[in-house]
Amino acid sequence: MSTTRYGESLRERWDAGCYICVGLDSTITGVPQVLSYAAPAQRQLLFNKAIIDATFDEACAYKLNLGFYIEHEEGILALVETVKAIHHRAPGMLVILDGKFGDIGNTSASYARFAFDVVDADAVTVSPYVGYDGIAPFIERSDRGVFVLSRTSNPGAKEFQALETGSEGKVPLYSAVASAVANSWNSHGNCGLVVGATAIAELRAVRDVAPDLPILVPGVGAQGGDLVSSVQVGRDAHGGVIVNVSRAIIFASDGPDFDMAARQALGDMNRAVRDAI
Amino acid sequence: MSTTRYGESLRERWDAGCYICVGLDSTITGVPQVLSYAAPAQRQLLFNKAIIDATFDEACAYKLNLGFYIEHEEGILALVETVKAIHHRAPGMLVILDGKFGDIGNTSASYARFAFDVVDADAVTVSPYVGYDGIAPFIERSDRGVFVLSRTSNPGAKEFQALETGSEGKVPLYSAVASAVANSWNSHGNCGLVVGATAIAELRAVRDVAPDLPILVPGVGAQGGDLVSSVQVGRDAHGGVIVNVSRAIIFASDGPDFDMAARQALGDMNRAVRDAI
């Protein structure tokens, strides 16, 4: 992370007690009625810009999930323009494109160009199933970050991620992934891990095998994960944890005050975290 | 597969000895010079339409990798229009959107709408890492197909996919995935698997644990996998295998005869397969 273009800013956010990443899961159906006059892509963009303006001084990072921007025409444009707006409003702020990319060779190189050059994201999420060489085109962009799925936040995450592996049969897959990323994949110093807030024991276990990697923790709020525990357990020695909260911030109000409600929600969460740690 | 909208056509293709899926990996840089007058998205679309016209009567299916269409503006439009062209030219023909999707809940539902409603693909590829509930939004669309990554074709695929799992420690992960898909995920009869042609022993092993599932086999040609072995080993009792070939067909010539060269290449491959089985 030391070599990434967002590393220094992120460290400053942590030092200031900001651990919350605002997840811009700005689904068309979720965007408040007050913006319904605009066409779908425009509606997402206007919504995002208002949320960014209201939260950037209290946010640790922003995360955009590709799935919410690909569904309708011009969605990619809304995605690109949103990232541009974040970079303009808050230079240095970490912007994560959550694409869970996991293809091979040529194709991964194409996704990397999309994520880092077209969208201009600072970091991506990737799925480890294909192995290192499939993810290398992302990792080789050493000024950008790569967060590798270790333990996801969904109810059925255990199906494969908890399978015991190894000669002793005692290393669950999510932990084998975390070890590989920490000890082998991270030669450029730009890797991180994804571990869900719904799996606090696993988050603690991953911290043990990867003490120094930044961890992105989704699953707080609507999915049931606890914010304060996530920060307490997820922080490394340097305070490195990024806890994503989406709906509980961006959809805190569905009225015309949605942006101020988002600001209030983020502020309240930040205070709760600072009081606890 | 029996309930899918392409099932009957696919069975007819197999009965006619057509096992080759044409992979429309139509990278901008790969499209012949003769089409360089057109803007990038238009160039991909013109190229694809010419390839489709020249190959549809000898193809088993078409596969489009999202990664090659997302990189430039309007690429999604080229993707959508290409799928439309295939459905128009060859009704019933299986069109696979190779997105290796693997997200959770809401987000997977959004990707499923993208793949099946916006793009109107007949099937997708997905990554199993998240577990069943993350993939369910695709599988629940029972008239469409879902090909789950079991053993990928890249050199480093073994890193996690070959990890031994289970209480006896003797089931490699790719096989655990194949078993889960065959015995549990396939309740709608619309699931398949992805196993690379570069791993013939693993292809045989997957056939043993999943005797009836259609298998999509990438990795023939540029990646080094052998076409005839892939068909011989990959076919189930009903002949169900789909062997993807991309560059060796679509880029058979970089001259103005590219479409006829593609037709020739596909025809030669089909004859080689029919002679061998």
Side-chain angles (χ1 to χ4, degrees):
Chain A
M1 212 193 57
S2 47
T3 63
T4 58
R5 63 184 193 174
Y6 59 85
E8 201 178 324
S9 308
L10 185 56
R11 183 74 53 202
E12 282 168 18
R13 305 312 274 171
W14 288 336
D15 287 344
C18 296
Y19 300 98
I20 299 173
C21 171
V22 177
L24 295 169
D25 292 358
S26 315
T27 53
I28 299 298
T29 49
V31 169
Q33 198 62 26
V34 66
L35 294 172
S36 61
Y37 66 88
Q42 188 63 18
R43 208 180 309 165
Q44 283 185 305
L45 181 57
L46 290 170
F47 177 78
N48 287 347
K49 282 183 165 177
I51 295 283
I52 293 159
D53 281 351
T55 57
F56 76 95
D57 57 338
E58 285 268 12
C60 168
Y62 288 90
K63 182 172 83 67
L64 292 100
N65 193 309
L66 179 59
F68 295 124
Y69 294 87
I70 205 170
E71 200 189 331
H72 58 90
E73 282 179 31
E74 316 252 310
I76 301 290
L77 198 65
L79 174 66
V80 170
E81 291 298 318
T82 297
V83 174
K84 208 175 281 179
I86 300 169
H87 288 324
H88 180 257
R89 197 72 170 96
M93 175 77 75
L94 167 62
V95 179
I96 304 168
L97 178 61
D98 188 2
K100 298 181 178 68
F101 302 108
D103 213 301
I104 67 173
N106 271 350
T107 320
S108 273
S110 183
Y111 279 118
R113 286 191 296 269
F114 168 69
F116 297 143
D117 299 327
V118 178
V119 177
D120 197 26
D122 300 292
V124 290
T125 62
V126 298
S127 179
Y129 195 73
V130 290
Y132 176 78
D133 65 331
I135 305 304
F138 295 96
I139 294 177
E140 283 160 5
R141 295 288 294 266
S142 60
D143 63 332
R144 313 295 172 111
V146 181
F147 290 87
V148 184
L149 297 187
S150 165
R151 175 56 161 78
T152 55
S153 59
N154 55 312
K158 284 184 182 175
E159 184 169 4
F160 301 119
Q161 296 164 30
L163 283 181
E164 302 284 347
T165 69
S167 56
E168 300 287 306
K170 286 182 182 148
V171 182
L173 180 59
Y174 73 83
S175 183
V177 169
S179 295
V181 175
N183 302 320
S184 159
W185 294 25
N186 193 33
S187 59
H188 293 291
N190 62 339
C191 291
L193 293 164
V194 179
V195 182
T198 51
I200 287 291
E202 289 86 342
L203 179 57
R204 187 170 285 119
V206 167
R207 226 351 133 206
D208 286 343
V209 301
D212 294 320
L213 294 190
I215 299 184
L216 171 65
V217 183
V220 163
Q223 292 184 54
D226 182 63
L227 170 63
V228 169
S229 313
S230 299
V231 175
Q232 285 173 328
V233 174
R235 282 201 306 167
D236 64 14
H238 320 288
V241 72
I242 300 160
V243 180
N244 184 74
V245 181
S246 298
R247 285 166 273 182
I249 293 175
I250 68 170
F251 297 148
S253 161
D254 61 2
D257 63 334
F258 69 89
D259 51 346
M260 286 303 109
R263 181 179 180 76
Q264 180 74 41
L266 175 59
D268 290 349
M269 289 176 197
N270 273 334
R271 273 183 291 278
V273 167
R274 287 176 200 138
D275 285 350
I277 62 177
Chain B
M1 208 193 58
S2 47
T3 62
T4 58
R5 63 183 194 176
Y6 59 85
E8 201 178 324
S9 309
L10 185 56
R11 182 75 53 202
E12 283 168 17
R13 305 310 275 171
W14 288 336
D15 288 345
C18 294
Y19 300 98
I20 298 172
C21 172
V22 177
L24 295 169
D25 291 358
S26 314
T27 52
I28 298 297
T29 49
V31 168
Q33 199 62 25
V34 66
L35 293 172
S36 61
Y37 65 89
Q42 187 63 16
R43 208 181 309 165
Q44 283 185 304
L45 181 57
L46 290 170
F47 177 78
N48 286 347
K49 282 183 166 177
I51 295 284
I52 293 159
D53 281 350
T55 56
F56 75 96
D57 57 338
E58 286 267 14
C60 168
Y62 288 91
K63 181 171 85 66
L64 292 100
N65 193 310
L66 179 58
F68 295 125
Y69 294 88
I70 205 170
E71 199 188 331
H72 57 89
E73 281 178 32
E74 316 252 308
I76 301 291
L77 198 65
L79 174 66
V80 169
E81 291 298 319
T82 298
V83 174
K84 208 176 279 179
I86 301 169
H87 288 324
H88 180 257
R89 199 72 170 95
M93 175 75 78
L94 168 61
V95 179
I96 303 167
L97 178 61
D98 189 1
K100 299 184 177 68
F101 302 108
D103 212 302
I104 67 172
N106 272 350
T107 320
S108 273
S110 182
Y111 279 118
R113 285 191 297 269
F114 168 69
F116 297 144
D117 300 327
V118 177
V119 177
D120 197 26
D122 299 293
V124 289
T125 61
V126 298
S127 178
Y129 194 74
V130 290
Y132 177 78
D133 65 332
I135 305 304
F138 296 97
I139 294 178
E140 284 161 4
R141 294 288 294 266
S142 61
D143 63 331
R144 313 295 172 110
V146 181
F147 290 88
V148 184
L149 297 187
S150 164
R151 175 56 161 82
T152 55
S153 58
N154 54 313
K158 285 184 180 176
E159 183 170 3
F160 300 119
Q161 295 165 32
L163 283 181
E164 302 284 347
T165 69
S167 55
E168 300 288 305
K170 287 182 181 147
V171 182
L173 180 60
Y174 73 84
S175 183
V177 168
S179 296
V181 175
N183 302 320
S184 158
W185 294 25
N186 193 33
S187 59
H188 294 290
N190 61 339
C191 290
L193 293 165
V194 179
V195 183
T198 50
I200 287 293
E202 289 87 342
L203 180 57
R204 188 171 285 117
V206 167
R207 231 343 137 214
D208 287 341
V209 301
D212 295 320
L213 294 190
I215 299 184
L216 172 64
V217 183
V220 163
Q223 291 184 53
D226 181 63
L227 171 62
V228 169
S229 313
S230 299
V231 175
Q232 285 173 326
V233 174
R235 282 202 306 168
D236 65 12
H238 319 287
V241 72
I242 301 161
V243 180
N244 186 74
V245 181
S246 297
R247 284 166 273 182
I249 293 176
I250 68 170
F251 297 147
S253 162
D254 62 1
D257 64 333
F258 70 89
D259 50 347
M260 285 304 109
R263 180 179 181 77
Q264 181 73 39
L266 176 59
D268 290 348
M269 289 177 198
N270 273 334
R271 274 183 291 279
V273 167
R274 285 175 201 138
D275 286 350
I277 61 174

